Amino acid sequence: MAAMAHDKTFPPHRIITSDPDATRRLGVDLGRRMNAGVILLEGALGAGKTTFVKGLAEGLGFKQAPREAGSPTFVLSREYPGRLPLIHIDLYRLDAIGPETGDWLHETFGRQAVTAVEWGERALEWMPRDYLRIRFDHQDDGSRAIAFEVLGQMSFNNGGSKK
Ligand code: ADP
Ligand code: MG
């Protein structure tokens, strides 16, 4: 796949999604455009992080039934094969990130994969220099505001579109 390292229009700054499917589709779009790298997902419980990651798996080419890409509630991480592996980590159940978990995170972030970390703000000191931060906020009307910020440098491809 041709790498388009300088698509200045992606990622968007902030998008409102009015239903779960729109959040999932935003994840699909990002999954198609991701190169290997780390994504930090933050926002309250139920804000839509896992919904988004399901789309991410789909956009990366993960082909199993959607329920297979559920939240890794009882394990720290799950991996889904695709164009690049998607490593889905959820730190919600961890009270503290000890050195062992930190080393494991560090190692995982170095892999040739897309690594999406829910509650990644709990492991800020372990985050790599470059990552994509996505913040999910409940809006009063039930929709979600989804804001993107690149920390350091990241490149995205054109998702196979001819635009
Ligand atoms: P999180 O992983 O952030 O805790 P989930 O993705 O597991 O959140 O859950 C989000 C919940 O909110 C789901 O029950 C989903 O159906 C609901 N929901 C309502 N509107 C939206 C929206 N615009 N985007 C995502 N989820 C939404
Ligand atoms: Mg979740």
Side-chain angles (χ1 to χ4, degrees):
M1 174 169 306
M4 314 289 278
H6 298 292
D7 181 349
K8 294 294 188 202
T9 66
F10 195 87
H13 175 57
R14 189 169 176 272
I15 283 187
I16 306 286
T17 61
S18 50
D19 58 58
D21 198 55
T23 299
R24 184 191 60 80
R25 280 185 277 115
L26 192 59
V28 173
D29 189 29
L30 179 64
R32 290 188 178 132
R33 289 161 167 271
M34 277 301 291
N35 296 321
V38 177
I39 304 170
L40 182 159
L41 304 144
E42 60 180 65
L45 265 187
K49 302 179 294 298
T50 299
T51 303
F52 184 88
V53 174
K54 287 180 188 177
L56 202 55
E58 197 182 325
L60 280 161
F62 178 65
K63 294 272 195 298
Q64 303 298 304
R67 56 166 279 275
E68 293 297 317
S71 187
T73 304
F74 298 108
V75 291
L76 205 54
S77 108
R78 285 204 179 135
E79 194 165 329
Y80 304 94
R83 174 174 64 78
L84 289 164
L86 170 68
I87 303 169
H88 183 193
I89 298 175
D90 191 340
L91 300 178
Y92 181 67
R93 272 157 207 280
L94 284 195
D95 294 330
I97 313 292
E100 264 178 42
T101 304
D103 288 347
W104 169 76
L105 282 174
H106 182 75
E107 195 179 304
T108 303
F109 293 157
R111 288 180 51 191
Q112 188 65 21
V114 171
T115 303
V117 194
E118 293 190 47
W119 301 92
E121 67 272 30
R122 297 182 176 182
L124 271 192
E125 66 187 284
W126 301 97
M127 292 302 286
R129 187 192 52 198
D130 305 314
Y131 64 94
L132 175 63
R133 175 180 172 218
I134 310 179
R135 205 184 66 244
F136 296 75
D137 285 306
H138 287 93
Q139 305 285 101
D140 289 341
D141 64 0
S143 64
R144 307 293 195 266
I146 303 176
F148 296 79
E149 183 187 5
V150 172
L151 285 294
Q153 285 199 313
M154 294 204 42
S155 70
F156 300 91
N157 65 62
N158 69 0
S161 82
K162 298 267 182 334
K163 292 190 278 204

